[in-house]
Amino acid sequence: IILVILWAQSRNDEGFHIGFSSLNPGDAMKLSMVNARYAGMSRSSQPYLVTAATAIQDSPAADVVHLDTPKGDITLKGGAWVALSAPKGDYRQKTQLLDLRDGVTLFHDSGLEFNTATAQINLKESSALGLDPVTGHGPASEISSAGFRVLEGGQRIIFTGKAHLTLYRKAPTPAKRARPETKAEGGKKR
């Protein structure tokens, strides 16, 4: 066996190689899961689901679970649903808090979409808080603000700080949002 390992180590061509991995002893205590999935119910009996590409818990007794590409879905009281995603996040098991970072996107089934850098979702209370600037758009509106709060199980959204809202008479196409139509001299459109 030793001869096979030494022979495999001495070959410089591409292909299968036998080698030894450099494992950190601390990594053996971490719990990790691929394609993690956590389902639960909020205090007001609203079902939610949190998934992640990977979930890592530093030790079996640790409260925090580190998530890679977390995604969450919750069904609201009226039957509407909300989905959110981010590149990174942490889930605090005891308090049922989901801290998302590195670019958070939230979709509501009514057509609303919001984007912000970070957000904290309280799964137990069906509420959310964001202290970073937020932008959003819907079928007939655009909004920007310094932050946001979602209360009453998603029934109420408060945009905090300096906020700007644009309402359209009818839902514009993305091209109209980017460059509104204007009339040039002689009544011709540009």
Side-chain angles (χ1 to χ4, degrees):
I1 293 174
I2 294 172
L3 186 61
V4 170
I5 292 172
L6 291 174
W7 175 74
Q9 293 286 329
S10 67
R11 296 188 49 121
N12 291 331
D13 60 344
E14 292 187 29
F16 178 74
H17 294 279
I18 297 175
F20 296 99
S21 175
S22 59
L23 292 176
N24 183 353
D27 290 342
M29 292 303 295
K30 292 182 179 181
L31 301 175
S32 63
M33 183 184 300
V34 177
N35 296 327
R37 180 181 165 123
Y38 181 79
M41 290 281 230
S42 70
R43 186 174 285 169
S44 58
S45 299
Q46 295 171 274
Y48 63 84
L49 175 68
V50 177
T51 62
T54 59
I56 298 173
Q57 190 174 5
D58 292 333
S59 74
D63 180 48
V64 177
V65 178
H66 307 288
L67 306 173
D68 187 38
T69 61
K71 296 178 181 174
D73 290 292
I74 188 165
T75 303
L76 303 177
K77 289 179 185 176
W81 58 264
V82 174
L84 52 95
S85 62
K88 297 285 182 190
D90 293 320
Y91 178 63
R92 301 179 191 291
Q93 299 176 77
K94 290 178 186 168
T95 56
Q96 294 184 357
L97 291 177
L98 181 60
D99 292 319
L100 302 175
R101 63 184 179 279
D102 299 341
V104 180
T105 302
L106 180 135
F107 295 99
H108 188 279
D109 72 350
S110 66
L112 298 172
E113 177 183 340
F114 299 102
N115 297 289
T116 187
T118 63
Q120 184 179 71
I121 315 304
N122 185 327
L123 296 169
K124 188 189 307 184
E125 301 293 330
S126 300
S127 64
L129 171 68
L131 302 176
D132 292 311
V134 61
T135 60
H137 62 85
S141 62
E142 291 182 355
I143 191 163
S144 62
S145 73
F148 72 95
R149 292 176 58 199
V150 176
L151 305 169
E152 299 170 15
Q155 301 297 316
R156 190 169 161 204
I157 301 173
I158 299 171
F159 293 95
T160 60
K162 187 175 180 180
H164 182 266
L165 173 66
T166 303
L167 298 174
Y168 299 100
R169 289 188 182 172
K170 59 181 180 176
T173 62
K176 288 183 181 180
R177 256 191 227 138
R179 190 180 72 190
E181 289 185 6
T182 58
K183 290 188 176 187
E185 291 183 40
K188 297 180 184 176
K189 291 183 180 179
R190 293 198 278 186

